[in-house]
Amino acid sequence: MFGATLLLSLREIRRHLLRSILTTLGIIIGVAAVVTMVTLGNGVTASVQEQISSLGASNFIVFPVRTDRGTVRPFDQDDVDAVAQQIAGVEVAAGTVRANATAFFNGQDWDTQVSGANRAFLQAQSIDVVEGRAFTRDEETAGKNVCLLGPKVREAIFPPDASPVGETMRLGGVSCNVIGVLEERGQGGGGADDDDTVIMPMKTVQRRFRGSDNIDYFVLKYDSAYSSSVIQDALVGLLRERRLLQVAEANDFNVIDTAQVNDALGAVTGALTAMVAVIASISLLVGGIGIMNIMLVSVTERTREIGIRLAIGALAREVRLQFLTEAVVLCALGGLAGLLLAFVASVSLAGAIDVPFIFDPMINIMSFAFASAMGIVFGYYPARRASQLDPIDALRHE
């Protein structure tokens, strides 16, 4: 019985193919919009979390801020050492200093950022060396002219088929020996490109590029078994003590917890994705109303056919099932077309805005199921109206 009803429904949809396509446009657009928005939202969330994770997990980033007097008081190595030695739960504390320079090699040049760091900083930021090696302790202590290249700098000034390890390049007026190449990390905090950098021992950058022992900011990596709030309170208290801040004075530094930032951004992007998806789903309701409208028109057009079926013995529930099946099939086909359109749109837009394409089976299944359910919700009234027609009156209909 159901198979015959399904064949009749498909035959009726094919008979009025253009009308059926136009009827399901609302369902197609609604499903495509919902799935595309959720897919892109997942991609944006993953991209943001990747950028935050590039700062390191279970980390605090501490940097000086401008005070009411308009001055910025920098940190020094003693501050970093005190944090590493006096706060329980701290695994690594390492500072960094940065400067801008032009990299030169074999007639090629590239404007980039020079970062002064040590192995502890690489560990705290989870930065891996994929080719060559990292600094030795002697190189850090002596401030040797050695450097680690970011992938973009390597690509910009070195031949693609040759290893830069062992070559000597120039950063501004400073020569350095390339000892390693960093892994690809993408965008980092503050929108900076972590791949467009050259890392040298911190003492080298302080002496040759900055002319001071100041530290721009430092990173603290803590044991996840400890409470981040307890460590943060101890960190703030220690720094206030070292910087001789009175009780009434505001902090002249800021502390960022990367885990909290990651959670907050994930919650915000998730809420925005859900809101956009709800707005996009309104077109599904509009599409459902269109289905109801066209099914009522179909009942009116086929009144005589319905009368003949009822007169020769068809039951009211069989007529109701036929029209209900037509509505569900229309919505299901619209849902499938919407999913196909969403896949194409998601892949294209994800590439255009440079976020990963993350296929979510659940949202696809839920969207298809919801679209099919729309056929039952909005197709029931026309189907019921068809089943309640009086056979004699229906046969008289012209």
Side-chain angles (χ1 to χ4, degrees):
M1 176 64 187
F2 179 75
T5 303
L6 182 60
L7 288 175
L8 286 174
S9 301
L10 292 173
R11 185 182 304 167
E12 185 62 30
I13 291 172
R14 188 177 62 179
R15 183 184 302 171
H16 302 286
L17 185 59
L18 180 59
R19 186 175 72 179
S20 300
I21 293 174
L22 295 176
T23 301
T24 57
L25 271 180
I27 300 295
I28 294 173
I29 294 173
V31 170
V34 171
V35 174
T36 301
M37 290 300 101
V38 172
T39 302
L40 291 179
N42 291 339
V44 170
T45 301
S47 178
V48 170
Q49 290 177 340
E50 182 181 359
Q51 292 181 29
I52 297 300
S53 65
S54 69
L55 301 176
S58 302
N59 279 12
F60 288 117
I61 299 175
V62 188
F63 54 92
V65 296
R66 191 173 301 277
T67 64
D68 296 337
R69 302 172 186 174
T71 59
V72 177
R73 182 181 174 188
F75 293 111
D76 55 33
Q77 188 60 42
D78 290 339
D79 294 323
V80 179
D81 293 340
V83 168
Q85 297 167 7
Q86 299 181 30
I87 299 180
V90 174
E91 295 180 345
V92 176
T96 185
V97 60
R98 294 183 174 183
N100 294 322
T102 302
F104 298 93
F105 179 78
N106 198 26
Q108 303 295 320
D109 63 272
W110 181 259
D111 291 333
T112 187
Q113 178 178 257
V114 182
S115 298
N118 52 29
R119 289 178 303 171
F121 185 83
L122 300 181
Q123 178 186 347
Q125 295 275 264
S126 301
I127 302 174
D128 293 329
V129 178
V130 295
E131 186 178 345
R133 62 175 178 83
F135 308 128
T136 64
R137 187 175 301 277
D138 290 341
E139 288 169 341
E140 293 176 0
T141 303
K144 297 286 188 179
N145 289 356
V146 292
C147 57
L148 304 171
L149 299 185
K152 280 196 174 179
V153 180
R154 173 186 179 169
E155 181 182 350
I157 64 175
F158 284 91
D161 55 347
S163 173
V165 177
E167 298 287 352
T168 299
M169 59 178 287
R170 191 158 49 88
L171 289 168
V174 180
S175 295
C176 69
N177 182 37
V178 180
I179 62 171
V181 178
L182 302 173
E183 66 172 345
E184 186 173 343
R185 294 188 294 153
Q187 292 291 320
D193 190 346
D194 285 341
D195 294 336
D196 187 7
T197 187
V198 177
I199 299 181
M200 300 182 72
M202 186 163 60
K203 285 188 176 181
T204 307
V205 177
Q206 288 175 330
R207 183 177 66 248
R208 303 298 298 273
F209 292 90
R210 296 292 295 271
S212 73
D213 293 335
N214 295 336
I215 292 176
D216 290 343
Y217 68 90
F218 68 89
V219 178
L220 181 157
K221 183 178 179 64
Y222 61 89
D223 187 344
S224 58
Y226 285 77
S227 169
S228 63
S229 60
V230 172
I231 293 179
Q232 183 170 356
D233 290 342
L235 173 63
V236 171
L238 176 61
L239 291 179
R240 287 184 61 87
E241 179 183 341
R242 291 188 58 84
R243 296 164 81 84
L244 303 177
L245 296 177
Q246 301 301 315
V247 176
E249 289 184 276
N251 293 337
D252 58 359
F253 57 90
N254 202 357
V255 179
I256 297 177
D257 186 345
T258 57
Q260 290 183 356
V261 172
N262 196 7
D263 293 342
L265 288 176
V268 170
T269 53
L272 289 175
T273 299
M275 182 184 69
V276 172
V278 169
I279 294 174
S281 65
I282 295 175
S283 58
L284 275 175
L285 298 177
V286 176
I289 295 172
I291 293 292
M292 178 184 288
N293 178 60
I294 205 64
M295 291 307 298
L296 287 172
V297 172
S298 181
V299 169
T300 302
E301 289 179 346
R302 296 157 62 188
T303 299
R304 186 173 177 81
E305 173 193 330
I306 296 169
I308 294 173
R309 291 192 64 190
L310 292 172
I312 62 176
L315 299 177
R317 69 169 182 269
E318 296 172 346
V319 174
R320 182 168 60 248
L321 178 62
Q322 178 184 349
F323 281 88
L324 195 57
T325 302
E326 286 184 23
V328 172
V329 169
L330 272 175
C331 289
L333 292 176
L336 287 175
L339 292 180
L340 179 60
L341 178 60
F343 179 81
V344 174
S346 298
V347 172
S348 301
L349 292 174
I353 63 177
D354 195 24
V355 299
F357 169 73
I358 301 177
F359 181 77
D360 187 345
M362 185 57 64
I363 189 61
N364 283 267
I365 294 173
M366 289 178 60
S367 297
F368 176 74
F370 186 75
S372 301
M374 298 287 285
I376 298 176
V377 173
F378 289 95
Y380 181 78
Y381 174 71
R384 182 171 177 271
R385 181 173 175 179
S387 67
Q388 290 181 339
L389 288 176
D390 184 86
I392 297 177
D393 291 337
L395 287 170
R396 292 174 180 170
H397 183 80
E398 294 295 339

Coordinates of all heavy atoms in Angstrom, one line a residue, residues 300-304 393-398:
T300 N -7.7 21.1 -4.8 CA -8.7 21.7 -5.6 C -8.7 21.2 -7.0 O -9.7 20.9 -7.6 CB -8.6 23.2 -5.5 OG1 -8.6 23.7 -4.2 CG2 -9.7 23.9 -6.3
E301 N -7.5 21.1 -7.6 CA -7.3 20.7 -9.0 C -7.8 19.2 -9.2 O -8.3 18.8 -10.2 CB -5.9 20.8 -9.4 CG -5.4 22.3 -9.6 CD -4.0 22.3 -10.0 OE1 -3.3 21.3 -9.9 OE2 -3.5 23.4 -10.5
R302 N -7.6 18.4 -8.1 CA -7.8 17.0 -8.3 C -9.1 16.5 -7.5 O -9.2 15.3 -7.1 CB -6.6 16.2 -7.7 CG -5.4 16.5 -8.6 CD -4.1 16.2 -7.8 NE -3.9 14.9 -7.4 CZ -2.9 14.4 -6.6 NH1 -2.0 15.3 -6.2 NH2 -2.8 13.2 -6.3
T303 N -10.0 17.4 -7.3 CA -11.2 17.1 -6.6 C -12.0 16.0 -7.3 O -12.5 15.0 -6.6 CB -12.1 18.4 -6.4 OG1 -11.4 19.4 -5.7 CG2 -13.4 18.0 -5.7
R304 N -12.1 16.1 -8.6 CA -12.8 15.0 -9.3 C -12.1 13.7 -9.2 O -12.8 12.6 -9.0 CB -13.0 15.4 -10.8 CG -13.9 14.5 -11.6 CD -14.1 15.0 -13.0 NE -14.9 14.1 -13.8 CZ -16.3 14.0 -13.7 NH1 -16.9 14.8 -12.9 NH2 -16.9 13.2 -14.5
D393 N -20.3 15.2 -4.3 CA -20.0 16.6 -4.6 C -18.6 16.7 -5.3 O -18.5 17.6 -6.2 CB -19.8 17.4 -3.3 CG -21.2 17.6 -2.6 OD1 -22.2 17.6 -3.3 OD2 -21.2 17.8 -1.3
A394 N -17.7 15.8 -5.0 CA -16.4 15.8 -5.7 C -16.6 15.4 -7.2 O -16.0 16.0 -8.1 CB -15.5 14.9 -5.0
L395 N -17.5 14.5 -7.5 CA -17.7 14.0 -8.8 C -18.4 15.1 -9.7 O -18.2 15.2 -10.9 CB -18.6 12.8 -8.9 CG -17.9 11.5 -8.4 CD1 -18.9 10.4 -8.2 CD2 -16.8 11.1 -9.4
R396 N -19.1 16.0 -9.0 CA -19.8 17.1 -9.7 C -18.9 18.2 -10.0 O -19.2 19.2 -10.8 CB -21.0 17.6 -8.9 CG -22.2 16.6 -8.8 CD -23.2 17.2 -7.9 NE -24.3 16.3 -7.7 CZ -25.3 16.4 -6.8 NH1 -25.2 17.4 -6.0 NH2 -26.3 15.6 -6.8
H397 N -17.7 18.2 -9.4 CA -16.7 19.3 -9.5 C -16.2 19.4 -10.9 O -15.8 18.4 -11.5 CB -15.6 19.2 -8.5 CG -14.6 20.3 -8.5 ND1 -14.9 21.5 -7.9 CD2 -13.4 20.5 -9.1 CE1 -13.9 22.4 -8.1 NE2 -12.9 21.7 -8.8
E398 N -16.1 20.6 -11.5 CA -15.5 20.8 -12.8 C -14.3 21.6 -12.7 O -14.2 22.5 -12.0 CB -16.5 21.5 -13.7 CG -17.8 20.7 -14.0 CD -17.5 19.5 -14.9 OE1 -16.4 19.4 -15.5 OE2 -18.3 18.5 -14.8

